[in-house]
């Protein structure tokens, strides 16, 4: 058990004994926090908790849910800074019920003897078993402790319901590129950070931002590694000069080449286009290559998942109807899981699309139908198909002569469904590939029965 903030030690001069840059640059005030503007807005429950508001509406425990590097630990530290609070930090990876009970005993003493409230920061609460989470309930319910729990997994599935009902659930989001850039810029100049001793090349800055993927901690870790490489390359006798961090230095620091890819420019559209066309062309290796290029360049995995869903209908369609199921499942899974694991889910959906039999019959069908509608084709709805559930409908002829399909042999009978001017229209024409090869005979038989070109079965 940690009885205090493990990172609160005063930094020392020896570089080997300094806390990591990400720890040194941890925001000490709400104003220094980048991102999370919505949950930190004035008057929000989390801001009131951080600012230590008293009164009838006392402080509530909080479960912070979000990707790595979005500020969960930082926010816990800010909560602890409110006057008269004792801070205790546990990790669910190493702590157990015994540690939780020890915290509760200590919190009781702090409140009884010193009138101080205890903030318990529990990192990775999703790793706690049900029994371990149950041990937290009495302290949270009686406000013996203010629990600030952090998790990267959906609390609805990883946190017990009684604990959820006694806490605020606060959803944190990844930082955008501008916010990550602000974190980097501050670290370069701040005395707690690199203190103006380094100059970051614009191309190197962009590379660090892309690698970070919205994770402020990862951005600072990468920057610190690049600064170390830069220092090692300073010629003898020039140790006091400003150290340049070039793109080559940044690439060397993380052993990852910068991907030439502008998410708002031509490369974005070119790579996305090649990605779609590779799946359509059934080249699974090329499709995975362009998937990798997008991911390594920091493309939003949700954008990629949406393209896969579109491809599953436009290019695969009824050639393999299960491709759409895989794609939609991937879309939802990616939204819940995030990177880097999302790459596996996306790859599975890409492989399914690329290897599936292809058919654009449904795509062509709806386009042809829309073209007719836009051209003014499509007269009145046949009278026997019109609504007949209201008074007076029968006198207008609505519903008269309608043949209820379930009364027909095999639930299919001859009947006109299209308007008079489109009665011969053929929008859907199944291919002879995959699942549609089996649909073709049934499609032809159904058309013949419905349109009366041969007797029903």
């Amino acid at each position: 058990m940690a009885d205090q903030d493990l990172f609160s030690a005063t930094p020392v001069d020896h570089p080997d004994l300094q806390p990591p840059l990400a720890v040194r640059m941890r925001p000490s005030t709400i104003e220094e926090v980048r991102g999370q503007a919505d949950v930190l807005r004035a008057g929000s429950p989390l801001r009131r908790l951080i600012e230590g508001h008293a009164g009838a509406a006392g402080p509530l425990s909080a479960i912070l849910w979000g990707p790595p590097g979005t500020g969960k630990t930082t926010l816990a530290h800010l909560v602890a800074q409110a006057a008269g609070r004792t801070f205790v930090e546990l990790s669910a990876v190493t702590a157990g019920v015994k540690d939780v009970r020890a915290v509760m005993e200590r919190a009781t003493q702090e409140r009884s003897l010193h009138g101080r409230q205890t903030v318990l920061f529990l990192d990775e609460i999703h790793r706690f078993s049900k029994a371990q989470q149950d041990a937290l309930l009495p302290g949270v319910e009686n406000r013996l402790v203010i629990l600030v729990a952090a998790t990267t997994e959906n609390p609805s599935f990883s946190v017990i319901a009684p604990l959820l009902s006694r806490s605020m659930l606060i959803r944190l989001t990844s930082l955008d590129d501008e916010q990550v850039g602000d974190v980097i810029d501050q670290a370069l100049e701040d005395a707690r950070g690199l203190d103006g001793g380094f100059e970051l090349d614009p191309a190197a800055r962009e590379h660090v931002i892309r690698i970070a993927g919205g994770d402020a901690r990862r951005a600072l870790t990468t920057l610190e590694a690049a600064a170390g490489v830069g220092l090692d390359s300073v010629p003898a006798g020039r140790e006091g000069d400003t150290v340049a961090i070039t793109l080559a230095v940044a690439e060397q620091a993380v052993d990852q080449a910068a991907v030439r890819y502008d998410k708002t420019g031509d490369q974005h559209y070119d790579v996305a286009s090649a990605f779609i066309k590779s799946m359509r062309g059934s080249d699974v290796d090329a499709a995975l290559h362009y998937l990798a290029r997008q991911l390594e360049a920091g493309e939003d995995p949700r954008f990629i998942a949406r393209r896969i869903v579109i491809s599953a209908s436009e290019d695969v369609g009824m050639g393999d109807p299960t491709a759409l199921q895989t794609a939609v499942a991937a879309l939802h899974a990616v939204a819940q899981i995030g990177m880097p694991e999302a790459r596996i889910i996306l790859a599975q959906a890409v492989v399914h699309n690329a290897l599936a039999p292809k058919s654009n019959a449904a795509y062509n069908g709806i386009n042809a139908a829309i073209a007719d509608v836009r051209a003014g084709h499509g007269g009145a709805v046949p009278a026997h198909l019109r609504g007949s559930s209201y008074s007076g409908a029968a006198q207008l002829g609505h519903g008269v002569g309608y043949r209820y399909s379930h009364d027909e042999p095999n639930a299919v009978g001859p009947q006109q469904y299209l308007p008079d001017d489109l009665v011969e229209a053929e929008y859907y024409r199944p291919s002879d590939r995959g699942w549609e090869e089996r649909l073709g005979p049934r499609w032809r038989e159904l058309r013949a029965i419905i349109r009366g070109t041969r007797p029903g079965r």
Side-chain angles (χ1 to χ4, degrees), residues 48-67:
R48 287 177 54 82
L49 179 59
I50 291 172
E51 293 175 344
H53 290 284
L60 296 172
S61 292
I63 297 175
L64 307 178
W65 171 32

Side-chain angles (χ1 to χ4, degrees), residues 265-415:
D266 291 342
Q267 297 97 327
H268 165 83
Y269 297 105
D270 289 346
V271 173
S273 175
F275 174 58
I276 294 295
K277 290 171 181 173
S278 297
M279 286 191 292
R280 180 183 299 149
S282 300
D283 190 330
V284 64
D285 299 309
L288 288 172
H289 166 76
Y290 291 116
L291 171 64
R293 281 179 63 167
Q294 291 177 97
L295 292 174
E296 287 299 292
E299 186 63 81
D300 186 344
R302 294 169 298 179
F303 165 83
I304 300 171
R306 290 193 292 268
R307 303 282 77 73
I308 296 172
V309 171
I310 294 168
S311 174
S313 272
E314 178 180 347
D315 297 319
V316 178
M318 291 302 293
D320 179 358
T322 65
L324 182 59
Q325 297 173 16
T326 299
V328 171
L331 178 68
H332 289 293
V334 165
Q336 293 296 325
I337 293 174
M339 290 294 289
E341 290 83 359
R343 76 191 191 284
I344 308 167
I345 298 160
L346 292 171
Q348 179 180 345
V350 166
V351 170
H352 193 152
N353 267 13
L355 297 183
K358 303 301 189 294
S359 171
N360 64 352
Y363 171 76
N364 288 337
I366 185 59
N367 286 346
I370 288 173
D372 271 352
V373 170
R374 289 178 176 173
H377 302 306
V381 173
H384 59 280
L385 297 183
R386 297 180 192 177
S388 58
S389 60
Y390 58 92
S391 177
Q395 286 80 1
L396 297 173
H398 293 185
V400 176
Y402 171 66
R403 300 179 65 162
Y404 185 55
S405 295
H406 294 284
D407 292 338
E408 301 292 331
N410 296 312
V412 182
Q415 185 160 233

Side-chain angles (χ1 to χ4, degrees), residues 177-194:
D177 287 354
E178 182 179 353
Q179 291 162 347
V180 173
D182 289 342
V183 170
I184 292 170
D185 295 342
Q186 183 183 9
L188 285 167
E189 299 301 326
D190 198 293
R192 295 172 297 171
L194 301 181

Side-chain angles (χ1 to χ4, degrees), residues 46-248:
L46 180 58
R47 189 173 187 115
R48 287 177 54 82
L49 179 59
I50 291 172
E51 293 175 344
H53 290 284
L60 296 172
S61 292
I63 297 175
L64 307 178
W65 171 32
T70 51
K72 297 185 290 295
T73 304
T74 290
L75 294 172
H77 283 238
L78 292 178
V79 170
Q81 288 178 8
R85 288 177 179 169
T86 299
F87 185 66
V88 180
E89 183 170 0
L90 292 178
S91 171
V93 176
T94 56
V97 173
K98 180 180 179 181
D99 300 302
V100 171
R101 289 173 178 165
V103 171
M104 299 305 171
E105 291 174 5
R106 169 87 176 270
T108 301
Q109 295 174 359
E110 288 290 315
R111 186 169 67 176
S112 300
L113 300 177
H114 308 291
R116 285 197 296 264
Q117 199 160 36
T118 297
V119 174
L120 169 58
F121 175 52
L122 180 59
D123 200 13
E124 300 193 80
I125 188 175
H126 57 270
R127 294 181 181 269
F128 255 16
S129 67
K130 181 181 183 299
Q132 290 170 317
Q133 292 185 33
D134 281 337
L136 295 165
L137 284 175
V140 173
E141 186 169 26
N142 299 321
R143 203 169 284 163
L144 180 61
V145 297
I146 301 172
L147 174 67
V148 181
T151 179
T152 56
E153 297 189 6
N154 190 333
S156 299
F157 304 107
S158 59
V159 178
I160 60 175
L163 199 54
L164 279 174
S165 68
R166 291 165 172 80
S167 309
M168 299 180 293
L169 178 57
I170 297 171
R171 179 77 182 269
L172 306 180
T173 57
S174 297
L175 278 63
D176 61 30
D177 287 354
E178 182 179 353
Q179 291 162 347
V180 173
D182 289 342
V183 170
I184 292 170
D185 295 342
Q186 183 183 9
L188 285 167
E189 299 301 326
D190 198 293
R192 295 172 297 171
L194 301 181
D195 199 18
F198 297 80
E199 183 176 348
L200 186 62
D201 182 81
R205 181 179 184 272
E206 182 179 349
H207 184 44
V208 173
I209 291 172
R210 285 178 179 169
I211 288 174
D215 183 333
R217 185 188 300 108
R218 188 178 183 190
L220 292 173
T221 300
T222 302
L223 177 62
E224 187 171 23
V229 174
L231 279 173
D232 289 343
S233 62
V234 172
R238 302 281 300 275
E239 289 81 3
D241 294 353
T242 300
V243 178
I245 302 177
T246 63
L247 177 58

Side-chain angles (χ1 to χ4, degrees), residues 6-7 9-21 23-24 224:
L6 297 178
F7 302 125
T10 303
V12 294
D13 293 334
H14 195 290
D16 291 342
L17 301 178
Q18 288 267 28
L21 179 62
V23 173
R24 303 201 306 271
E224 187 171 23

